[in-house]
Amino acid sequence: AYQLQYRTGDGWQDIPLQQRTPGKPLANGENRIEFPAVSMRELRIALTNPPAPARFRLIEIKAFAP
């Protein structure tokens, strides 16, 4: 599992109204997250590793502004 977050004065918050395609993470494929515009300076992806022996790794991230 993973969550897209941004930093606020109160710490890290989940970005609201995330629309994910596909709904569950796709191994070895493109996972797209779209959300309404949010003013931010810092962005992160918080990862939750699955139970062993499975692994999760992030290869690349691209961020685009509208």
Side-chain angles (χ1 to χ4, degrees), residues 49-55:
N49 279 324
R55 299 279 184 193

Side-chain angles (χ1 to χ4, degrees), residues 21-44:
T21 307
K24 292 184 178 181
L26 175 63
N28 300 317
E30 180 178 297
N31 294 276
R32 178 176 286 224
I33 306 171
E34 295 183 53
F35 52 90
V38 176
S39 179
M40 70 178 84
R41 295 187 65 173
E42 297 178 71
L43 173 72
R44 78 175 182 181

Side-chain angles (χ1 to χ4, degrees), residues 41-62:
R41 295 187 65 173
E42 297 178 71
L43 173 72
R44 78 175 182 181
I45 298 178
L47 307 173
T48 302
N49 279 324
R55 299 279 184 193
F56 185 90
R57 65 181 177 168
L58 179 64
I59 302 297
E60 179 179 2
I61 182 172
K62 296 179 184 179

